[in-house]
Amino acid sequence: MCDAHDAGASAAAPAATSAAGAVVEPQHYTPTLLLQAALASTTNPSNSSEATSYLQGWVEESDDGIGASWQAAAELVRLIYPPTANRNLEHCIGQHQPPIDVVEQAIIAHQESAHAAATSPSSQAVAISIPNQLHVLRTTSSGVRTLLLTLLNTKIRHSPSSVSPTENVVASLLDSVWCGLVYLSGTDGVGEPDVASGGEINSLCSTVCALAVRTKGGVPMLLQMAFAGAVNAESLSSLSGGGNSSAFGSVSGASGRQDNKNGRLGPIVALKIMARIPAEAAECSTCPVADIEADMLACVGFVLDVVCMVLNQLQQQEQQRIGANDGTKLALQVLSNWAGPCHITLTQISSVPLSSLADPTSIPKQQRPSLLDMLISVLSQPTSQSVPFDVVVAASEALMVPVLDGADFGTPTRLQASVALLGAIPSRGFLLNPIKVATEAVWEGDEAVRSLSNLASTIAAEEVDLVAEGAVPGCLELVDILLGLQVHRVHSAAIAPLETWLAVQDVPPSDRHPNFSAPLFGRVVQALLLRASYPRDFVSWEEDETDTLDRQEFDEMRRLASDILTSTYYLLRVDYIDVIVSSVSGRQSSWEAMESALWCLCAVSRDIVDEVKKNTDESNKAAKKLVGLAQQLCASDIQRQHVLVREAVATFLGKYSPIWNIHLSDSILDILAKLKAYVESGTAQAAAKATRQVLLGCSKSLILISQRAHQAHAGAVGTPTRTTPYVVSVALGTMMETVLSRGEEESVRLVAEGSARLCVQLRDWPLVQHSLCAVVDPIRTRLSLAFEHIQEHHQQQDQARLESCFHSLSSCLGAFEEVCRFCDVSTASSGDGMPKHHPLVEALTAVWPVITDISLSQTCRSHESTMTAVLAVHSALLSNTPELMAPHFPATVTFIVKLYEDQNNSAALDYVAAAVEQFGSAGSGEVASFSDLLAHLTRCTTSYLTTSRRPRDCPSLVEAYLEMCRRYLLYCPHALVACPEFSSIFALAVGCLGECSGNDCRAALLLMAQIIGYKNLRVSQTTSAVLNAASGTIDHLISRHGEAICKKCISSLSGSGPQMLWPACSECLYALVSYLCSVSGGEPLAWKWMCLALEADAKRLSPETRQAVISILFGFAKDKNSKSKPRAKMLLTDYAKLCSGDSSPAVLTSYSV
C-alpha cells in the first residue's frame, strides 16, 4: 500500500507544487491536474479563479472530447480511494490511524514548495510552516476529497445521456467509492464513523446513490451491497430489480468475497445510503422515470423491514448493534424519504410485520409488531430519557407522510389503522405523553412540540370524517390535544391546528358529534383570543428585545385564523360577538385581551356588516352589542391605553362604519373627534385610515347632519344641534389640520381623499364649496408656512430644518393632489344650487399662487421629491379639471419641459401623458405642437439614457416615457407618426427590452404590441386612418427590429424573464406573428424567426414540441375570430410552463381539439 501511495504522490507532487502559483488551464483532464486545481481552490481561495474554471469545465465536459473527462474522473477517484486500502484495513486499524494517502502527500508537497519559496533569500514572503499535526492534515485532506466528490456528483447529475459514463467507468467509480466508504465507515463494520469524516462520507453516499439510480437495477443491488452481513440472506434475496448491471454486480461480488471486517459497511453508513436514494432519484432527469420507480418499488418491502429492525432494537434496548439514537433517527429518516415517492400508505406500515432480519427465530411471526405499532410506541414514551426529542421529531415526520398519502383512503385497512392511531391516545398516551414531556422542557423540547402538533393536526385533518363523528375512542382526546396546542407557548405549534378547524367546518353538522359544532367552536374562539394576543410586556416589533415572538409566524397565524373566525361567525352568529365582547367587558381586562378581542371582531367585520344590513332581529341584536362596545371605547381614556389598543380601536371604528351609519348616526361626529384624538396620540396611520372609512361609510349620516345644521341655523326647521351651520366642514378642517401636523404623507392622503369624496356628495353647492375650502385651507396655510421656512433656512443653510420643511411641503402637496383627484363633479349628488363652475375654483384660487411660487423657486426646483409632488398636482388638475387648467396650459408646459431638461423627472412625462389624453384630439395646430414636444422629449430622453444613465438604472423614467408614447398612440396618433423621432422611439423601446425586466420592460412590450398590431386596436376611425397611412413606416420598423423582438419575447417566456412579463410578452409576440402573417411574404420570415429563437432558448424541449408550438401559434395568428388572441396567449403561457418544467407536452393536445 505504501508503494502505491508513494507512486501516486510522486505523480501528484509536481502538480501540487505548482499550485502555489497560478494554475494554467490545461488542454486535457487528468487526475493529477484535477487534484492540483482542487488544492489550489482549497488552500489559496484568493487566487483560484483559473482553478475553479478548470474544475467547472471538467464538470460541464467543456474543452474536451466526450468521455475523456469521465475517464479522468474514474482515475482520480481510484487515486484518492485506492482499492488496496481494503486489504490493509486491519493493519491500519491496529495503528489507530489511517495511512497517509495521495491527497495528504500532495498537500505536504504543496506546503514544502510554499515554505521553500517563502524562505528563499530572493523572496520577501513570510515562511509557511508545514502542518505537522496529524488532525490538521487529515481535515485538509478530507476537505479536498469532499470538494472533488461534490464536483463529481454535480457532473453525474447534470450530464445528459449522450455524455454519460460508460459501464466500465461506472464500475471503476463504484469500486473506488466503495473502498472509500468501507475505509471511513468504521473500524469493525458495526461501529460509528469518525465525526470528522461525516461530510466526506455523505458525499461518498451521494456519489454511489447517484450512480445507482442512473443504472437499471442499480438501486436493489446497491442495497444488497450496503446491508451485506447486517441482515439474513433470505431478506437480501428479496431485492430483485428490473435489471442486472455488470458494474454493480462486479462490485457486489468483490465485496461479498472479502472478509466481513474488510468488505462490509457499518450500519450507520448503510442507512445513510438508503436514506439518500430517494433524493438522488428525484434529481435524476436523464433516465426514464418508470425505470427508477420500478427499482425503488422493488425495494419498499426491504426498506420497511430495515426500519422495523432498528425500531425493534430501540424497544428491546439493544442499541449496541446500531449506533443508538443516530441509527434510530436515520431509520426514521429512511421511512420519511421513501414514503413520499413510493406512496407508502398507512395500510402498509400497519400490516408489515417485523421481519427478523438479524435473528429469524427471535420472535414468532404471529407476535411480531407492525411498523405502525412501533411508531406509536416511540411516540407514547413518558420520558425524554426513553426517547430523545430529536427521535420524537423524526418519528413524527416519518409517520406523517403515510398519513398524508391518500392511495388507501376508503379501504377497511386504512380505517383499521386510523382507529388504532386514535385509540392509542387514551390507551397508551400516544401524542399526549411526548407533548407533556416536551412542554416541560422549555426551549429543548420546542421543536418536538412543533412536530407533534403537525402530526396531530394531520391525523385530524386527514381523518376528519372519522374524528368529527366522534364514535371512535380517542376522537375527543385528539380535539382536546389540538385545543391545548392552539394556546401552547410555542407559537409555531399553534399554527398547524388551524387547518383542522377548517377541515371540521367542511363536515356537515348533521355528521358531527354534538360537541363538535357550536360548543367546539366556542372553545376555538376563546383559544384564538388567547393565541392572537401579544405578550403582556410587548411594546412594538422595533422594541421587542425578548425575541419570544416571531413576527412572520404571528402574522401568518392571524392570517389563517381570520378564515376560521369568518366561518365560525356564520355558525355562532350573535353568540360569536357575545363570546368576544364578554371577554373584555370587565374593567380589569388586560390591554392584550382588549387588542385581541378587537382584532377578532375586525377579522369578520365585512361579514357582520353584511348581516346587519339585512335588518333582522338577530342582526339588530348584534348591532346593539357592537354599538355598546363602540360607545364604551369612545368614552375610554386614550392616555391609559396601550399604543396597540389605540390602533385596534381606530381600526374597529373604521371597519364598522356602515353600522354606525345606521345605528349610531347622531354620534358620527363624536367618532370623528375620537379618531382625531388618536391622531394626536401618535397612532396617525390607523386613525387616518379609519377616518377615511367613516367619512365614506357614514356619508349619508354626515350629509344629513350637515343639512340639519344648515337648515336649523337658518331657522327653517327645528332647533340647531350645533352652534354653527358648518359642523361637518369644521370637523373636516380640524381633522385635516391635525393629521397635517402629526401624520406622515400616507395618512394625510387618506384623510384628504375621504374629505374630498364626502364634500362632493353634499347636495347644497355652496356647502360643497365651503367644505372644500375648509379642507384645503389648512393645506394652503401649512404649504405657505413650509415654503417661507424653506426660503428662510436656505439662507441659513440649516440642512436638517430644510429637509423637515421639504417633507412638510411634499405632504401638503400630496394632500392637495388627493383633493383634486377625487373632487369629481360627475359623482356629486343632484340638488339645489347646482354649480355653474367647478366647485374647486375657490380653493384652487387660494392655493395656486403658492404652487406657482414653489415652482419658480430655484431652491425648490433643485429638490426632486418636491418637484415630483408639484408635477403630480398639475397632472391631477389636468386630468380632473381640464377646463380650469386650459388657461395655464402653455405656461405650465414650458415649465414642465424646462424641468425635464434639468432633472429628467419622470413626473414631467406623466403630465405630458395626461395633457395628450385631454387635448390630443384638438385641431391641427395642437397636433403639430404635440409632435414637436414629443420629438424634443425623445431627444432629451435618448441623450440621457445613452450618456448619463442606462435604462436599467432608471426604470421609473423609462416606464413613464414609454407610457407617454402609448398615450400618443391612442389619443394623438398623428403627432406620433408625424414625429421625426418616431423610428428612434421604436428603437429605444426595443433597446430597453435587453436591459429592463420590470414594469419598464412591460411598458415597452405593450407599446410595441400596439404599434405592431395597430390594425386590431379599438380606436376611432380617424385614428385608424392615421395609423393605416403610416403602415409603410411600421413595416420598415418591423423588418428592422422584428427578429430582436421575437427573440426577446421567446427568451423571457423560456425562463430568462420574470413571470410578470409573460402576458406582455405573449401580447407582443402574438401581435408580431399576426401582423407578419397578414402581409405578403411575412409568414416565412416569422416562421424563421420563431425557429431560431426557440432553438436558442428552448433546448429543454424536443424539436417536435417546438414545432408544435409554432404551428399552433401560427394557426391562431391566421384565424381572425375573437377567441384567437386569448387562446394564443394561453398557449404561450403553457409554453413558458413547459420550459420551467411545470407542465408536460401533453398540454398542447388541448389546442388541436
Side-chain angles (χ1 to χ4, degrees), residues 43-186:
T43 59
N44 191 15
S46 62
N47 188 27
S48 62
S49 58
E50 293 186 21
T52 303
S53 299
Y54 174 63
L55 292 171
Q56 191 63 32
W58 171 62
V59 170
E60 298 175 356
E61 284 273 345
S62 62
D63 298 329
D64 200 356
I66 293 175
S69 65
W70 281 116
Q71 188 61 41
E75 294 175 2
L76 173 67
V77 176
R78 192 172 186 85
L79 183 68
I80 60 178
Y81 299 110
T84 52
N86 270 343
R87 293 195 296 271
N88 292 278
L89 187 58
E90 287 191 55
H91 171 73
C92 298
I93 294 169
Q95 299 298 318
H96 300 292
Q97 64 181 30
I100 294 182
D101 68 6
V102 65
V103 181
E104 293 170 4
Q105 292 191 15
I107 294 171
I108 292 174
H110 168 67
Q111 294 285 36
E112 287 176 342
S113 174
H115 180 80
T119 55
S120 173
S122 60
S123 173
Q124 301 298 319
V126 180
I128 303 175
S129 62
I130 300 174
N132 50 13
Q133 296 92 350
L134 189 61
H135 71 276
V136 175
L137 194 59
R138 294 286 181 268
T139 302
T140 307
S141 177
S142 179
V144 174
R145 290 195 299 262
T146 302
L147 171 63
L148 289 168
L149 286 170
T150 302
L151 294 171
L152 176 60
N153 293 339
T154 304
K155 183 178 181 63
I156 294 171
R157 293 184 189 122
H158 299 292
S159 291
S161 56
S162 58
V163 291
S164 294
T166 64
E167 193 167 283
N168 291 335
V169 170
V170 171
S172 178
L173 286 171
L174 280 170
D175 190 34
S176 300
V177 170
W178 199 258
C179 290
L181 276 171
V182 173
Y183 174 64
L184 294 172
S185 67

Side-chain angles (χ1 to χ4, degrees), residues 8 163 219-220 245 304 397 401 432 470-471 503 520 679 759 779 827:
V163 291
V219 173
S245 167
L304 294 178
E397 294 173 352
V401 181
L432 280 170
L520 169 62
V679 173
C759 288
I779 298 175
T827 63

Side-chain angles (χ1 to χ4, degrees), residues 813-827:
L813 289 169
F816 188 62
E817 178 196 348
E818 295 300 311
V819 173
C820 298
R821 187 187 305 279
F822 291 99
C823 189
D824 187 358
V825 181
S826 63
T827 63

Side-chain angles (χ1 to χ4, degrees), residues 215-231:
T215 304
K216 190 173 182 180
V219 173
M221 298 191 70
L222 174 60
L223 292 180
Q224 283 184 348
M225 295 160 54
F227 287 90
V231 298

Side-chain angles (χ1 to χ4, degrees), residues 1115-1130:
F1116 288 138
K1118 291 184 286 186
D1119 187 3
K1120 298 302 181 181
N1121 69 58
S1122 59
K1123 295 183 179 179
S1124 295
K1125 182 177 178 179
R1127 294 206 70 197
K1129 294 175 69 174
M1130 188 182 303

Side-chain angles (χ1 to χ4, degrees), residues 954-967:
C954 43
S956 59
L957 176 65
V958 172
E959 181 184 2
Y961 171 77
L962 294 171
E963 178 59 28
M964 178 193 70
C965 294
R966 200 165 70 90
R967 298 282 185 91

